[in-house]
Amino acid sequence: MAAPTAGKVVYEQDGIFIHSSTEDQDSLISGILRIIEKDGELVVEYKPLEDGVDLSNMLYAGKDSSSVVEWTQSPTDKTQKNAEHQHSCEAEWDMINTVSFKKKPYTNGEGTSNHVHERSKWAFFFNVIDLKTIKIKLEGWSHLVFCLKDETSLPALHFHQGGSDLFIDCLKKYVLINESLFDERVLIVSNYNKALSQSFENLFDDTTFGLVQKFRKDPYTTTMGGFSKVTNYLFDAFRGADVEHQQRPAAEMADILNEVIPGLEINHQEEPGFEVIKRIDLGTKPDVQRREPVSVEDWTKNMDTEGRIQNVHDLKQRIFNGGLCHAVRKEAWKFLLGYFPWNSTRDDRKVLQKRKTDEYFRMKLQWKSVSEEQEKRNSRLRDYRSLIEKDVNRTDRTNTFYEGPDNPGLILLHDILMTYCMYDFDLGYVQGMSDLLSPVLYVMENEVDAFWCFVSFMDQMHHNFEEQMQGMKTQLIQLSTLLRLLDLAFWNYLESQDSGYLYFCFRWLLIRFKREFSFQDVLRLWEVMWTGLPCQNFHLLVCCAILDSEKQKIMDEHYGFNEILKHINELSMKLDVEEVLRKAEAICFQIKNCKDLPYAVREILEVIPDTAAPAAEICEHRALDTRSPPNATCTDELQPNPVPNGRDGNSGRRETAPHVYKLAHV
């Protein structure tokens, strides 16, 4: 087979190592791993770099601080920092602090001169159709070993910075990859043409039962693993030997998902109790322009001499219109998330931080002081710890803040999530929460501040992770209501393809688009949404904006159930956050300007006019919904709605009132 010629690079990652000797650290071979598509063929290529890597300059973790700031400090800065730290509120808790960043002394390593010829022999490439299995190891440095159909085993590729899962995910777009029944460390590779004709009976005794059980056991893992997994189960695992005659219809697959997540059967117009939303002329979308991010100067000029934030609404509007420059985020996010009150002075905030620091470390001490013997008798704590350790090791490992082995950022992620289990033991840890914490810790660069900002964020997101998934159901219902208003034709098309449940938006809502945009774009998106402008549930309009951009392709190419699922999944990391925000804001203005806006939509977005909705209109909605309690009265509807997005300060979790569902239906 000739060397791969120029083609389309569909995957590329550097910093992939071959350990040519297990004893000599200098024998590590660094290279680039690529997947190249050319003339209908797919080639995996590994090419060593000619330049050596200075391993003596790598970072390692210490055990004496909770601050990540020390990573980039000079010795002079660090001396000053240590002097300040002795008087800080964290000094007395140093015994249980876990992390600092130190740098190994630089040595001018000899013997790294010219290994070009030695390195070139480690280069290899192969056609994916020749790949038989992939052996994986995820503990410590993850590595992959490719085994070809001619029984050739290629050198192990070590992913020192993480990212092996991204390689596997990319490969799954072109071939079928399934875990071996006999060894979970071995992945079996099959080509689609072969997989389409083979029976999956050896993988599932009862495929329907297997899928449902997997979703019921852990819907978060199934969803968080990427919709490619969902697509594989629905599109591949249900196939029998004769694909054309035995493939399950999309309606049956949709019913299976509905069985797993009950309460989503909301989109059938023939079901009694639904108002058929007629076409409403919303007019054209206004032209919306984004502004420059709020600078340090902009931020400080809105602060009085005592440190109080002035002109809060105008400042929030500026943040919504342009976001924040990164230098401002560390302070501004504490206000946006509610950790710092907007009207607090600098002195107020110092007192608050001192109290919150003590509170945090007391909770942290609770789990750190649990002995092994105690933990053996506490299954919930063991389960929480196990889940956290697994998730932390695969959270944002390509980000420099979290890359590499024994990274201090990973230790902080672990400790904060474990401490959150002490803060809210009923909820504990659910997969996906590490995705919400990662950007917050990245910005805060401090364990205590990151924890309390995360607590505030979880107050908004708590309902997404509760066992009954009530918050997720409500949001999907509300999104369906909005989509029907904005584009009834597109909604009808989705319904005709058994996709009206909008479960392909599940991951978007669960972790607020964390895996749909690049890391830096997620920071921008979240700070914009945290302003609470220009309406309630703005994140639902972000969903509508993305779908609005994709609807033409979906309908023009007649995508069915499986193709819609696959297409939405493949949007990940391809979305432009500024364009999406422009479109979402334009949709909001478009809805606000509508005079005949249905009451249900006004409730979802809180764009209710000055005068309350007429009682007759509310009674009409009540009459349309045959599932309303028989003894309910129209006056019940006029009670203020609990905000479904979180909890009310320290007063405990907010419960979603039953009528929220009904309003979303009509």
Side-chain angles (χ1 to χ4, degrees):
M1 178 178 167
T5 57
K8 179 183 177 183
V9 177
V10 296
Y11 169 90
E12 181 177 79
Q13 183 174 341
D14 56 12
I16 310 298
F17 290 83
I18 290 178
H19 295 190
S20 59
S21 170
T22 58
E23 299 177 356
D24 183 8
Q25 178 172 274
D26 292 332
S27 66
L28 297 184
I29 307 297
S30 175
I32 298 177
L33 181 63
R34 295 188 180 97
I35 300 178
I36 302 170
E37 188 177 12
K38 175 70 174 178
D39 298 331
E41 291 189 341
L42 202 68
V43 174
V44 175
E45 176 192 60
Y46 178 77
K47 183 179 292 185
L49 298 174
E50 294 184 3
D51 296 326
V53 177
D54 183 7
L55 297 171
S56 64
N57 220 21
M58 293 179 68
L59 297 169
Y60 68 98
K63 299 283 184 181
D64 57 3
S65 172
S66 64
S67 176
V68 188
V69 179
E70 296 182 31
W71 195 354
T72 56
Q73 286 178 335
S74 65
T76 304
D77 294 334
K78 186 171 180 179
T79 301
Q80 180 180 358
K81 170 77 175 179
N82 288 339
E84 294 174 356
H85 178 71
Q86 291 178 4
H87 302 286
S88 76
C89 50
E90 295 186 20
E92 61 190 278
W93 293 104
D94 275 349
M95 67 182 73
I96 59 170
N97 283 357
T98 55
V99 175
S100 68
F101 287 72
K102 301 178 180 179
K103 222 172 193 179
K104 291 185 177 181
Y106 175 78
T107 57
N108 187 13
E110 298 179 0
T112 60
S113 53
N114 192 352
H115 295 305
V116 175
H117 298 296
E118 177 69 17
R119 290 170 177 272
S120 63
K121 75 176 184 179
W122 296 101
F124 64 79
F125 63 91
F126 59 85
N127 195 312
V128 170
I129 63 173
D130 297 322
L131 183 59
K132 181 180 180 181
T133 61
I134 303 173
K135 296 179 181 178
I136 60 174
K137 173 182 173 293
L138 298 178
E139 298 81 11
W141 281 333
S142 61
H143 74 232
L144 304 178
V145 177
F146 301 112
C147 302
L148 306 184
K149 293 177 180 176
D150 62 2
E151 305 304 327
T152 300
S153 290
L154 298 172
L157 298 183
H158 295 257
F159 291 70
H160 288 193
Q161 300 176 5
S164 60
D165 53 340
L166 297 178
F167 173 83
I168 298 295
D169 287 342
C170 181
L171 208 56
K172 284 181 177 178
K173 297 177 183 178
Y174 302 91
V175 293
L176 290 176
I177 298 179
N178 293 289
E179 190 177 283
S180 169
L181 292 175
F182 308 103
D183 189 343
E184 62 181 9
R185 297 168 298 177
V186 176
L187 301 178
I188 299 174
V189 181
S190 305
N191 296 313
Y192 274 111
N193 56 353
K194 179 181 178 182
L196 290 178
S197 61
Q198 71 180 11
S199 172
F200 279 79
E201 292 179 0
N202 60 322
L203 299 178
F204 301 93
D205 293 333
D206 182 340
T207 53
T208 304
F209 177 79
L211 175 70
V212 173
Q213 289 299 102
K214 183 174 181 65
F215 270 84
R216 278 181 171 164
K217 182 179 179 182
D218 198 344
Y220 297 102
T221 303
T222 309
T223 305
M224 297 301 298
F227 280 115
S228 58
K229 290 184 179 179
V230 179
T231 306
N232 284 344
Y233 278 106
L234 296 176
F235 192 55
D236 301 321
F238 286 157
R239 300 177 184 185
D242 185 346
V243 178
E244 292 184 3
H245 296 91
Q246 294 190 22
Q247 183 175 358
R248 292 174 183 264
E252 187 173 345
M253 299 183 194
D255 289 340
I256 291 172
L257 277 180
N258 181 61
E259 181 182 346
V260 177
I261 310 176
L264 298 187
E265 65 279 20
I266 61 171
N267 293 321
H268 301 291
Q269 288 184 337
E270 69 272 16
E271 183 177 344
F274 283 90
E275 174 192 18
V276 177
I277 294 182
K278 299 179 180 178
R279 293 183 183 273
I280 297 176
D281 184 11
L282 296 173
T284 58
K285 294 188 186 74
D287 184 25
V288 173
Q289 298 298 322
R290 302 282 297 160
R291 297 181 61 178
E292 291 296 315
V294 173
S295 65
V296 175
E297 182 182 358
D298 295 331
W299 178 262
T300 53
K301 76 180 182 182
N302 280 278
M303 197 174 287
D304 66 16
T305 55
E306 294 185 328
R308 292 187 186 87
I309 303 295
Q310 299 176 313
N311 306 314
V312 173
H313 180 77
D314 293 341
L315 185 57
K316 283 185 178 181
Q317 189 66 56
R318 280 292 314 278
I319 296 171
F320 175 80
N321 290 332
L324 297 159
C325 72
H326 192 70
V328 178
R329 282 181 173 138
K330 187 182 295 187
E331 182 174 7
W333 278 26
K334 296 170 188 174
F335 289 92
L336 288 171
L337 284 167
Y339 175 34
F340 285 171
W342 287 97
N343 61 349
S344 62
T345 66
R346 291 188 189 90
D347 290 340
D348 293 336
R349 295 193 287 272
K350 286 180 182 178
V351 172
L352 176 66
Q353 283 184 300
K354 171 67 169 67
R355 178 166 55 83
K356 290 296 187 181
T357 298
D358 291 343
E359 187 176 348
Y360 172 77
F361 282 113
R362 286 192 183 94
M363 288 187 291
K364 183 174 181 178
L365 188 59
Q366 289 173 1
W367 65 266
K368 287 190 75 72
S369 61
V370 173
S371 68
E372 291 185 10
E373 287 299 316
Q374 285 178 295
E375 192 164 317
K376 287 179 181 178
R377 297 185 291 272
N378 192 332
S379 60
R380 291 186 68 185
L381 184 61
R382 287 199 313 271
D383 291 343
Y384 289 156
R385 187 192 296 272
S386 176
L387 274 175
I388 289 170
E389 289 174 353
K390 288 179 181 178
D391 278 8
V392 162
N393 283 325
R394 57 193 181 195
T395 299
D396 291 326
R397 296 306 302 275
T398 57
N399 187 305
T400 55
F401 193 84
Y402 298 109
E403 68 183 2
D406 298 322
N407 185 293
L410 299 181
I411 298 173
L412 291 182
L413 270 178
H414 172 274
D415 287 2
I416 292 172
L417 291 171
M418 284 296 297
T419 306
Y420 186 81
C421 291
M422 299 296 105
Y423 174 82
D424 188 346
F425 206 83
D426 287 342
L427 179 64
Y429 178 78
V430 180
Q431 288 180 307
M433 288 165 58
S434 62
D435 278 282
L436 299 184
L437 172 59
S438 171
V440 175
L441 177 58
Y442 171 84
V443 168
M444 291 298 121
E445 297 184 312
N446 178 275
E447 183 176 8
V448 176
D449 290 340
F451 174 81
W452 289 111
C453 286
F454 176 65
V455 166
S456 297
F457 194 12
M458 280 301 300
D459 284 346
Q460 301 176 31
M461 303 294 292
H462 197 284
H463 61 288
N464 281 12
F465 297 95
E466 292 166 358
E467 186 175 0
Q468 298 302 316
M469 303 168 69
Q470 198 77 354
M472 292 302 301
K473 297 176 195 174
T474 300
Q475 290 174 88
L476 288 169
I477 292 169
Q478 292 173 335
L479 179 57
S480 177
T481 300
L482 292 173
L483 194 59
R484 279 191 287 167
L485 171 74
L486 294 169
D487 198 324
L488 189 57
F490 179 50
W491 183 87
N492 283 333
Y493 177 83
L494 293 176
E495 177 69 9
S496 70
Q497 302 302 321
D498 291 286
S499 297
Y501 303 122
L502 306 179
Y503 38 72
F504 49 78
C505 299
F506 190 94
R507 186 175 68 186
W508 297 359
L509 299 171
L510 182 68
I511 51 172
R512 285 295 191 271
F513 311 97
K514 169 61 167 54
R515 299 195 182 182
E516 317 314 316
F517 294 90
S518 69
F519 194 87
Q520 292 300 321
D521 283 354
V522 168
L523 305 185
R524 174 59 41 80
L525 178 65
W526 284 5
E527 64 200 13
V528 166
M529 292 194 295
W530 288 338
T531 63
L533 300 174
C535 62
Q536 179 181 267
N537 289 319
F538 181 69
H539 66 285
L540 298 180
L541 297 185
V542 172
C543 294
C544 292
I546 298 173
L547 293 175
D548 184 68
S549 298
E550 302 302 320
K551 65 181 181 183
Q552 209 60 47
K553 183 178 181 67
I554 290 172
M555 291 195 290
D556 287 351
E557 300 193 15
H558 307 290
Y559 282 170
F561 177 88
N562 302 299
E563 291 82 8
I564 293 171
L565 207 58
K566 185 173 185 291
H567 177 72
I568 294 299
N569 178 49
E570 292 176 349
L571 294 177
S572 177
M573 301 301 157
K574 298 177 183 177
L575 300 170
D576 181 346
V577 70
E578 295 295 334
E579 178 60 31
V580 170
L581 285 172
R582 272 194 295 270
K583 182 166 286 190
E585 185 180 1
I587 291 173
C588 183
F589 287 142
Q590 192 180 26
I591 291 175
K592 283 185 174 182
N593 292 333
C594 177
K595 296 180 180 179
D596 301 320
L597 199 61
Y599 185 69
V601 175
R602 300 204 299 265
E603 280 285 301
I604 294 169
L605 301 179
E606 272 197 0
V607 290
I608 303 176
D610 293 336
T611 57
E617 181 182 355
I618 299 173
C619 290
E620 179 184 356
H621 291 309
R622 176 62 61 88
L624 286 170
D625 193 343
T626 59
R627 288 161 296 183
S628 300
N631 59 344
T633 62
C634 292
T635 55
D636 293 336
E637 293 288 351
L638 298 177
Q639 299 300 318
N641 282 342
V643 178
N645 281 348
R647 295 188 283 179
D648 184 10
N650 298 320
S651 61
R653 291 180 205 134
R654 295 181 174 184
E655 300 294 336
T656 304
H659 64 265
V660 172
Y661 273 93
K662 181 182 65 57
L663 290 174
H665 290 166
V666 296

